[in-house]
Structures are given as C-alpha cells and as structure tokens.
Amino acid sequence: MNIAHVQSAMEGIREFFTQSPLLLSAPDVLFQTIAAESKLISIQPSQVLCEAGQKATCFWWLVQGEMGAWVDQANGEKMCVGTIGSGNMLGESALQKGAKAFRNATLIASEACMLLEIPMNGNVNKALRSEEHTSELQSPCNLVCRLLLEKK
C-alpha cells in the first residue's frame, strides 16, 4: 500500500468530515479506525466499482481519477448523471444509512482510478457512534444529527 496516497486520502477525508454537520466533531479515534480498516484499491477505465441496487457495505475516497455515476432509464439504457473527481467521497449511503444502505447508481471508472475503500464494519460503526463523538452532538443545534445517529 502506498503510504503517501493513504496519508493524502486521510487528510482529505478528515477535511471532508469536518465540513459535515453529522461528523463536525469526529474524534481522532474515528480517523485512526478508518486508517486501520481501509485499503487502497485501483481500478481500470470502464471497470465497474459498484452496481445500482447492491448492498452498500463500504464507502470510498477517490484519491486519483474520475468516476461516472450511471442510472438505468425506463427504456433499459444507462444514463450518466454525473462525474466525480479526485478528492471526493463515493458510496456515502453506507455511511449515512448503515446496514440498510443500497447503491443508488452504478459507478464506472472514466479513467484509471485509485480509491481508499473504507468498510462499514463493526469497528468503523463503533467509532462513528462512539460516546466521544455522539456526546458532542447533544446541543440543540445538532438535534437532527443526533437523531440520525440514534436511529441506527
């Protein structure tokens, strides 16, 4: 695993998370758990990362490359509804909905890509919903975030 790529991805994830109301107060243990549990993967142009409707068991940080998001149309053809470039999160429904998450689109590499794959396993879920993290969300301004976490 390329340490420089992983460190760069972790810095990007930390910045991304600290801009999200749900993860505004994410503790270091969450990032340490993500670093320990994640793996760096590479995919080639036109390779499918995930299919719409699949159970979402992980999410990704796009370290390098570009992905297309595709959905099925009524006539059975696929339509590209957007592209995602480096420095963005993919598959965040796994993060938001936990075990009830399914993929909303098929993700296909537009070019060679490198991604950090983060499993939504017990360790990541535990760190995400830790007392250290959720206690920061007790103020009235974080009511919606707290309710989303407690619902899991």
Side-chain angles (χ1 to χ4, degrees):
M1 183 181 306
N2 186 318
I3 299 300
H5 284 120
V6 172
Q7 288 174 335
S8 173
M10 290 307 299
E11 288 170 17
I13 291 170
R14 183 182 295 274
E15 182 178 326
F16 183 88
F17 278 5
T18 56
Q19 295 174 12
S20 165
L22 183 61
L23 298 163
L24 207 51
S25 62
D28 284 341
V29 69
L30 175 59
F31 299 110
Q32 291 166 357
T33 303
I34 287 173
E37 299 289 324
S38 61
K39 65 180 178 180
L40 204 55
I41 62 169
S42 297
I43 60 172
Q44 299 305 310
S46 302
Q47 187 175 344
V48 174
L49 180 65
C50 66
E51 293 275 353
Q54 279 181 330
K55 188 164 178 53
T57 59
C58 65
F59 60 100
W60 301 273
W61 183 259
L62 185 53
V63 176
Q64 190 174 34
E66 183 179 273
M67 302 288 298
W70 297 78
V71 295
D72 292 327
Q73 298 185 83
N75 64 5
E77 293 183 20
K78 289 193 182 296
M79 177 176 74
C80 184
V81 293
T83 57
I84 304 103
S86 299
N88 285 289
M89 187 178 296
L90 303 165
E92 63 276 4
S93 64
L95 180 63
Q96 297 166 345
K97 298 179 182 176
K100 297 178 184 176
F102 289 89
R103 303 292 180 207
N104 298 314
T106 298
L107 299 176
I108 302 173
S110 306
E111 58 188 55
C113 295
M114 185 181 309
L115 304 103
L116 189 67
E117 184 176 77
I118 302 126
M120 282 305 295
N121 62 21
N123 293 333
V124 174
N125 277 320
K126 183 178 176 183
L128 181 61
R129 288 163 180 74
S130 71
E131 180 62 32
E132 180 182 355
H133 181 213
T134 57
S135 65
E136 295 291 326
L137 300 174
Q138 296 303 314
S139 71
C141 66
N142 288 318
L143 176 63
V144 173
C145 297
R146 189 175 73 244
L147 291 173
L148 285 170
L149 282 171
E150 290 173 354
K151 194 175 168 190
K152 306 285 185 230

